[in-house]
Amino acid sequence: MAVQSAREAPVGVAERARPGVAEQALRVLGRAWRPAALLALLFAGWWVITATGLVQPYLVASPGDTFAVIGDKFDYFWQNTLVTLWETLAGFVLAIVVGVLAAVMMVYSPTIERTLYPLLLFAQVIPKIAVAPLFVVWLGFGIEPKILVALLMAFFPVVISMVTGLKSIDPEMLQLSATMGAGPLKTFYKIRMPASLPHLFSGLKIGVTLAVTGAVVGEFVGANEGLGYVIQQANGNFDTPVLFAGLVVISLLGIVLFALVELLEYFVLPWHASRRVDAATTSM
């Protein structure tokens, strides 16, 4: 008599073969065509508005002029993009470190939570463009003020998402862990931290885009390089194509960083419900 394989799917679960490259490509295309179509429609509308003369060229640059400027001044945009990228990544990494540590302390100490939470809300509602000049006065015109603004912009979503994730654990799971002799440290690494990662990555995807905004805001206030500086110079010189080109590059930078964080989430959390594609439950 043949022995039933241990890998056989249980009753009620239909095992689906791992999708091949062609199937994965079709899935990606199926998800991407709608935003691609919307983006193409927006660019078409942009081109129509500028080509028909509905607005003057000094108010809105045409898509052709915008991308021509990027091509003609590629080295200029590339060097300033690297500056903004470094400021963004430095602030974002610091926001992760400080935010995760603050979240852990808040979850494990109600006193710290009651003390820090109002301060976090107070710091979040203050417009960063208002405090950025103070950072320039205190730290000078170097890279430090931009990193600090990027940190402040990314910090709040990171710490709030981490706190939410750490508190989302089923209390019965924690009681079971304690019953089986697991200490607080082991419970944190084995239960709390893995369960909080989906929430944390949601905050990271928001935080990385805000970090780009923070770095650019810091460059607006005082800088001699970076994409914010490029936009400020173009605005002062009424160079609309360069201004629009700077906006396009900033948008692309934010999109690329968001996609990288989402890609990291895909590899770190293959077990999460939103990532499982190998099995489908069926009613029997």
Side-chain angles (χ1 to χ4, degrees), residues 65-281:
D65 292 341
T66 299
F67 290 102
V69 165
I70 295 177
D72 294 340
K73 298 185 176 183
F74 180 81
D75 291 338
Y76 174 69
F77 281 102
W78 176 251
Q79 293 172 2
N80 287 282
T81 300
L82 291 179
V83 173
T84 301
L85 176 62
W86 165 243
E87 296 165 352
T88 299
L89 293 179
F92 182 55
V93 171
L94 289 175
I96 295 174
V97 174
V98 179
V100 170
L101 290 177
V104 171
M105 290 189 296
M106 291 170 64
V107 168
Y108 280 92
S109 174
T111 301
I112 294 178
E113 182 178 11
R114 287 192 294 266
T115 303
L116 284 183
Y117 204 84
L119 297 178
L120 293 178
L121 292 176
F122 177 76
Q124 177 64 17
V125 299
I126 295 178
K128 304 305 180 290
I129 190 67
V131 297
L134 290 176
F135 298 153
V136 174
V137 173
W138 295 338
L139 302 176
F141 286 88
I143 196 174
E144 292 83 2
K146 293 78 174 177
I147 294 177
L148 185 55
V149 177
L151 187 157
L152 291 177
M153 293 287 286
F155 174 76
F156 190 77
V158 172
V159 68
I160 294 301
S161 61
M162 188 65 180
V163 168
T164 303
L166 291 174
K167 286 186 174 183
S168 64
I169 310 300
D170 189 347
E172 294 183 358
M173 180 68 70
L174 299 178
Q175 293 175 3
L176 177 61
S177 175
T179 302
M180 298 180 67
L185 186 61
K186 192 170 185 179
T187 300
F188 176 79
Y189 282 107
K190 295 292 186 179
I191 298 178
R192 282 190 180 272
M193 189 64 185
S196 67
L197 287 179
H199 296 271
L200 177 60
F201 270 100
S202 297
L204 293 182
K205 286 185 281 189
I206 298 173
V208 73
T209 57
L210 292 178
V212 176
T213 304
V216 174
V217 166
E219 293 167 352
F220 281 163
V221 175
N224 53 13
E225 55 185 351
L227 294 175
Y229 170 77
V230 170
I231 292 178
Q232 285 285 78
Q233 290 294 106
N235 185 51
N237 296 328
F238 296 99
D239 194 343
T240 307
V242 172
L243 193 153
F244 271 72
L247 294 175
V248 169
V249 174
I250 291 173
S251 300
L252 291 176
L253 178 61
I255 292 172
V256 169
L257 291 177
F258 180 93
L260 290 176
V261 174
E262 194 166 51
L263 182 64
L264 179 62
E265 180 187 18
Y266 179 82
F267 287 107
V268 173
L269 302 177
W271 48 267
H272 194 245
S274 63
R275 303 295 178 186
R276 290 199 292 263
V277 296
D278 293 338
T281 56

